[in-house]
Amino acid sequence: MVDLKELFGSKMFGRREMKKRLPPEVYEDLMLTVENGEPLKSATANAIAEEMKNWAISLGATHYTHWFQPMTGITAEKHESFIEPDKDGGIILSFSGKNLIKGEPDASSFPSGGLRATFEARGYTAWDPTSFAFVKDDTLYIPTCFFSYDGSLLDKKTPLLKSCEALNTQAMRILKLFGNEDVKKTVVNVGSEQEYFLVDKDVAAKRPDLMLCGRTLIGAKPPKGQEMDDHYYAAINHRVSEYMKDLDRQLWEYGVYAKTKHNEVAPGQHELAPVYTEVNLATDQNQLTMEVMKSVAATHGMVCLLHEKPFKAVNGSGKHNNWSIATDTGVNLLDPGKTPHENLQFLTFLVATISAVDEYQDLLRASVSGAGNDHRLGANEAPPAIISIFLGDQLTSLLEAIENDMEFHAEGKKVMELGVHTLPKFKRDTTDRNRTSPFAFTGNKFEFRMVGSSASIASPNIVLNTALADVLKNFADELETAPDFKAALLKILVRNIKEHKRIIFNGNNYSEEWKSEAKARGLCDLKTTVDAVPAYVAPKNVALFTRHGVFNKTELVSRCDILLENYYKTLNIECMTLKSMLSNHIIPTCFRLEKELCGLVLNKKQLDHSAKREKWYLDTVSSATGKLLDSVFDLDRMLEEAAPLLTYEKAKYYRNNIFAKMEEIREVSDKLETLFPKDEWPFPTYTDLLYSVR
Ligand code: ADP
Ligand code: MG
């Protein structure tokens, strides 16, 4: 029997371990840094480093690494052993406070979007004491921030921490105005549901597209997909179940609150959701979860696919980002309270969030963009590319009542009369959840459903936090000087509801009518990464981030560049992979089949038959092969044309020409596949792949 309590966090240097190992004054000092952001004394750092090292060695660690989150979207690590030579030709095991706090990895090969000139390749990593170190394999992992010599941000963690700080500053101003004297701090809580696919390793290994691009570039629709709804929540087969057990166990050891697991909609698709936690930790833990998902799959003879759209015929994968803000006294500010007073505070944060999402919808869309997610958003399985908020009927009519100074009725009863001197009173909404909404209020949190399964959750949370900070700042600026707080607040709420209610939509987000309705409302419909990413450098958004000290303009320009570069590089890899699958596998195989069919037709003719059907077969294969061959030349020409273009133009060219051509090729190839003798088609089919884990 596993002792779950013992197992949980057994490889994490968390508070339990620190309390046990660190002298009380050292622990207290560290908490001052963690809770209040006070600088860490070097004696404290040394004492922590020593104990961290002893603890890690007791778990078999021989190395340590500064673990960071560069703009690749995945994590980076360079391992250093604890070994130092001693005077007698032996070794001592050493790890100082300085080793803990600061690292200097060569940063020249990480994407910087031109931020770091090549002559200054040094990057710095700095320990993030608000997250937890852990031991994986033989290495002590230390979560760190990553920046350049001049302090420019090169990672996703640092701006996330800054956005939390910005939101805390503004939220505290509002909470003070409500008289919350006991609250010292607010935190953002996030729970991210992670979807993934499992494919047998031997089958996947025969698909260069899966191995190199993480998704299939061709593949005919299988006879059976997800139409029977028989995979969602279905009984978990033995092999997957063994995998999930191993995954849970490892995640628990690292202190990740893995909670829910189930089969998802598509065959071969599954989900894991953790219990929500503070956003910085949730982000680290989601990165770790994705890594462990892959490594555990390898030990079970499987490949874990985190791509947003590994297979065309069935649902893709996303990552629902459940987001809320709470006080250090345990009050969820997005939870309707028990008293009218608490409800007014809730309404303030609710309306502020609505305003923030409407005002910065373009940024929020940009924060979830990427070549992979372009296949998902707007494809009637995931939210559309248009951002809107689902509030449910009760809250929507409450906001209407506030806006129009009308009476509010809940559950048939007259619950409150609104006006300057009366306050709303209502209970938590119980309306059905709307699965099609990109940003849904689900009782006490917002669920942002546009995040891609392979993406770091840092970017969308940076945008959410900073945007909300900004709206709260405007509220606080006005309220702090208002003679009558409640009257002023109601005025602000009414004004914000009026200005931003266009973002609220409780209907079906997949419908065609919504697209035209959204257009009429003036909402953004940024269909692809190329359309969305430039939002990062729109003047109003640069102003937002600089106002709150999250990014400066240069950093935003560089991020925009990195994202666009990443987009066309991804498409370039896909294009090269597809070309090779065609030229080295499919086309030669087609020629062989053509030869065989030619012989067949000739033979039949000699027997004085018309060979009509055989000829049709031959013509069909011939014409498809011809089209594929032409396409390879087309792709070559396009790649040449794209080569000299600058970043934005290049990204656009890849989308308009190369991506479009690849879709065309796929159609021809997929038709061909259905005609081919199974054993002669050079790649495993969708049936082979989707049902490979048995
Ligand atoms: P569903 O699939 O029905 O949306 P799940 O249980 O799969 O629900 O996931 C819900 C996620 O939301 C979990 O990660 C959960 O911890 C998280 N969550 C619950 N309450 C909050 C909250 N107040 N703030 C942030 N996340 C939350
Ligand atoms: Mg779920």
Side-chain angles (χ1 to χ4, degrees):
M1 262 290 283
V2 197
D3 184 343
L4 260 183
K5 278 185 164 171
E6 274 302 306
L7 182 80
F8 187 84
S10 56
K11 293 191 174 169
M12 172 179 72
F13 200 62
R15 293 195 178 185
R16 184 177 64 181
E17 202 59 40
M18 289 188 216
K19 263 191 200 148
K20 205 162 86 192
R21 287 179 174 265
L22 300 176
E25 64 282 7
V26 172
Y27 183 78
E28 266 165 41
D29 254 9
L30 175 64
M31 285 307 121
L32 285 178
T33 303
V34 172
E35 305 290 345
N36 310 344
E38 289 185 17
L40 196 69
K41 294 185 203 116
S42 74
T44 309
N46 280 331
I48 297 168
E50 182 61 22
E51 281 314 310
M52 209 188 251
K53 178 191 77 181
N54 294 339
W55 167 80
I57 289 173
S58 77
L59 290 173
T62 52
H63 289 68
Y64 71 91
T65 183
H66 274 200
W67 188 57
F68 57 103
Q69 301 173 19
M71 290 299 295
T72 51
I74 53 175
T75 60
E77 50 191 76
K78 174 185 166 204
H79 300 211
E80 308 267 355
S81 73
F82 290 121
I83 284 177
E84 288 288 343
D86 70 6
K87 285 195 209 91
D88 309 317
I91 54 161
I92 52 162
L93 299 181
S94 128
F95 180 63
S96 66
K98 203 167 152 266
N99 295 147
L100 167 65
I101 287 176
K102 193 172 157 202
E104 289 185 28
D106 180 342
S108 56
S109 296
F110 291 106
S112 77
L115 259 187
R116 194 194 44 247
T118 34
F119 63 83
E120 186 36 272
R122 235 177 326 169
Y124 291 91
T125 49
W127 177 39
D128 166 19
T130 60
S131 186
F132 298 116
F134 55 92
V135 168
K136 186 156 80 83
D137 297 330
D138 61 353
T139 300
L140 167 66
Y141 283 73
I142 301 158
T144 57
C145 296
F146 179 49
F147 47 90
S148 74
Y149 180 69
D150 68 356
S152 298
L153 308 186
L154 297 176
D155 73 345
K156 299 199 170 211
K157 182 191 263 287
T158 322
L160 178 64
L161 290 170
K162 289 183 173 202
S163 74
C164 291
E165 243 174 75
L167 179 51
N168 178 52
T169 306
Q170 304 306 333
M172 284 305 293
R173 287 174 70 192
I174 298 289
L175 290 174
K176 280 244 153 59
L177 287 164
F178 272 97
N180 298 279
E181 293 305 330
D182 52 337
V183 177
K184 292 199 182 61
K185 203 175 125 176
T186 59
V187 289
V188 171
N189 285 318
V190 163
S192 58
E193 305 162 48
Q194 177 73 48
E195 293 181 338
Y196 61 98
F197 278 87
L198 291 174
V199 178
D200 182 86
K201 199 164 105 222
D202 295 334
V203 184
K206 295 189 183 121
R207 294 283 311 214
D209 47 0
L210 271 189
M211 300 320 285
L212 296 178
C213 314
R215 77 172 179 104
T216 52
L217 302 169
I218 49 172
K221 198 170 172 352
K224 181 175 188 280
Q226 64 191 43
E227 55 278 77
M228 303 302 284
D229 297 322
D230 57 354
H231 196 254
Y232 191 55
Y233 282 15
I236 299 168
N237 83 32
H238 180 71
R239 209 170 150 198
V240 175
S241 165
E242 289 302 302
Y243 166 80
M244 287 176 163
K245 269 189 230 171
D246 240 12
L247 176 61
D248 275 341
R249 178 186 271 263
Q250 284 200 30
L251 290 174
W252 289 334
E253 282 178 350
Y254 301 136
V256 177
Y257 298 105
K259 174 88 174 166
T260 315
K261 53 185 179 187
H262 62 82
N263 283 347
E264 256 300 332
V265 171
Q269 192 186 28
H270 315 280
E271 181 187 298
L272 178 146
V275 179
Y276 70 88
T277 183
E278 190 273 313
V279 63
N280 177 38
L281 208 55
T283 307
D284 285 2
Q285 295 194 343
N286 180 250
Q287 294 295 133
L288 182 60
T289 299
M290 290 194 283
E291 282 160 28
V292 177
M293 278 180 164
K294 287 186 177 175
S295 67
V296 173
T299 64
H300 285 251
M302 300 190 272
V303 174
C304 173
L305 303 172
L306 294 172
H307 193 283
E308 285 74 15
K309 193 72 181 175
F311 305 102
K312 190 177 181 188
V314 294
N315 270 14
S317 300
K319 179 145 51 189
H320 293 175
N321 187 78
N322 294 273
W323 174 89
S324 66
I325 166 168
T327 66
D328 59 346
T329 52
V331 178
N332 177 354
L333 297 169
L334 289 178
D335 200 343
K338 291 189 187 65
T339 64
H341 173 82
E342 284 174 25
N343 270 339
L344 188 61
Q345 186 173 292
F346 157 73
L347 272 176
T348 307
F349 282 90
L350 181 81
V351 170
T353 307
I354 293 167
S355 304
V357 171
D358 181 39
E359 192 68 39
Y360 297 103
Q361 48 179 291
D362 53 343
L363 256 186
L364 209 49
R365 168 67 184 91
S367 76
V368 294
S369 60
N373 221 10
D374 277 6
H375 295 276
R376 238 182 108 237
L377 301 179
N380 277 16
E381 57 167 61
I386 307 162
I387 300 213
S388 67
I389 299 181
F390 169 82
L391 272 193
D393 295 338
Q394 191 188 200
L395 276 180
T396 307
S397 43
L398 172 65
L399 295 191
E400 260 165 34
I402 296 176
E403 182 192 351
N404 301 309
D405 198 8
M406 289 178 339
E407 286 179 359
F408 171 67
H409 299 260
E411 289 152 15
K413 280 183 287 188
K414 182 175 140 188
V415 176
M416 64 176 195
E417 245 173 62
L418 277 158
V420 178
H421 301 293
T422 43
L423 294 171
K425 182 170 183 292
F426 57 94
K427 288 204 273 330
R428 191 193 279 200
D429 199 346
T430 49
T431 40
D432 267 357
R433 299 210 278 162
N434 180 333
R435 282 275 160 202
T436 69
S437 175
F439 200 85
F441 186 71
T442 48
N444 61 355
K445 62 184 179 346
F446 278 101
E447 188 170 341
F448 186 32
R449 304 200 178 108
M450 287 171 97
V451 189
S453 49
S454 70
S456 157
I457 55 172
S459 301
N461 287 305
I462 292 168
V463 172
L464 281 172
N465 296 348
T466 315
L468 180 59
D470 199 58
V471 175
L472 293 177
K473 175 183 182 298
N474 292 339
F475 284 15
D477 286 349
E478 207 172 319
L479 289 169
E480 278 168 356
T481 53
D484 180 344
F485 171 70
K486 269 181 205 151
L489 180 61
L490 271 173
K491 239 170 74 191
I492 290 177
L493 294 183
V494 170
R495 191 175 68 227
N496 275 270
I497 296 168
K498 267 197 181 40
E499 272 172 27
H500 299 290
K501 66 180 177 191
R502 63 172 185 166
I503 198 83
I504 298 168
F505 178 61
N506 294 326
N508 178 8
N509 282 259
Y510 297 170
S511 70
E512 278 307 310
E513 300 85 76
W514 170 232
K515 281 190 193 143
S516 41
E517 160 86 20
K519 198 169 173 198
R521 293 191 191 185
L523 301 179
C524 298
D525 186 4
L526 302 167
K527 292 200 170 64
T528 67
T529 299
V530 184
D531 305 306
V533 163
Y536 272 113
V537 289
K540 76 169 172 73
N541 298 335
V542 174
L544 168 79
F545 282 125
T546 41
R547 196 155 51 238
H548 295 278
V550 175
F551 292 115
N552 62 34
K553 184 166 179 190
T554 324
E555 285 161 348
L556 287 166
V557 170
S558 91
R559 248 148 238 255
C560 183
D561 261 18
I562 291 172
L563 290 168
L564 290 172
E565 259 175 33
N566 190 294
Y567 174 81
Y568 73 68
K569 282 180 182 169
T570 304
L571 261 59
N572 190 62
I573 295 169
E574 292 182 349
C575 173
M576 301 295 280
T577 306
L578 182 58
K579 258 176 34 129
S580 133
M581 289 171 85
L582 292 173
S583 308
N584 307 129
H585 301 272
I586 295 177
I587 294 173
T589 315
C590 286
F591 283 149
R592 277 200 295 278
L593 183 62
E594 271 187 74
K595 190 175 158 206
E596 229 175 87
L597 290 171
C598 280
L600 181 69
V601 171
L602 285 178
N603 278 343
K604 278 249 174 175
K605 282 216 163 140
Q606 274 169 8
L607 289 172
D608 200 22
H609 290 289
S610 70
K612 203 172 127 198
R613 291 187 184 84
E614 291 76 5
K615 218 169 154 300
W616 171 86
Y617 197 168
L618 172 62
D619 286 346
T620 311
V621 173
S622 273
S623 113
T625 311
K627 279 187 196 156
L628 293 182
L629 201 54
D630 289 347
S631 305
V632 172
F633 293 124
D634 287 343
L635 285 179
D636 276 334
R637 179 184 49 77
M638 289 176 182
L639 287 173
E640 242 169 68
E641 251 174 55
L645 299 176
L646 294 177
T647 308
Y648 176 72
E649 291 304 323
K650 205 182 220 172
K652 209 159 89 182
Y653 186 94
Y654 267 86
R655 179 196 64 188
N656 293 349
N657 302 284
I658 296 177
F659 182 76
K661 189 81 207 170
M662 285 170 58
E663 290 292 291
E664 242 175 61
I665 292 173
R666 169 167 203 148
E667 214 169 287
V668 179
S669 168
D670 289 357
K671 209 173 240 153
L672 200 58
E673 184 193 319
T674 60
L675 286 175
F676 247 73
K678 167 82 172 89
D679 292 344
E680 283 168 44
W681 187 251
F683 304 110
T685 63
Y686 265 29
T687 305
D688 299 333
L689 290 162
L690 287 168
Y691 301 95
S692 63
V693 178
R694 296 231 169 234

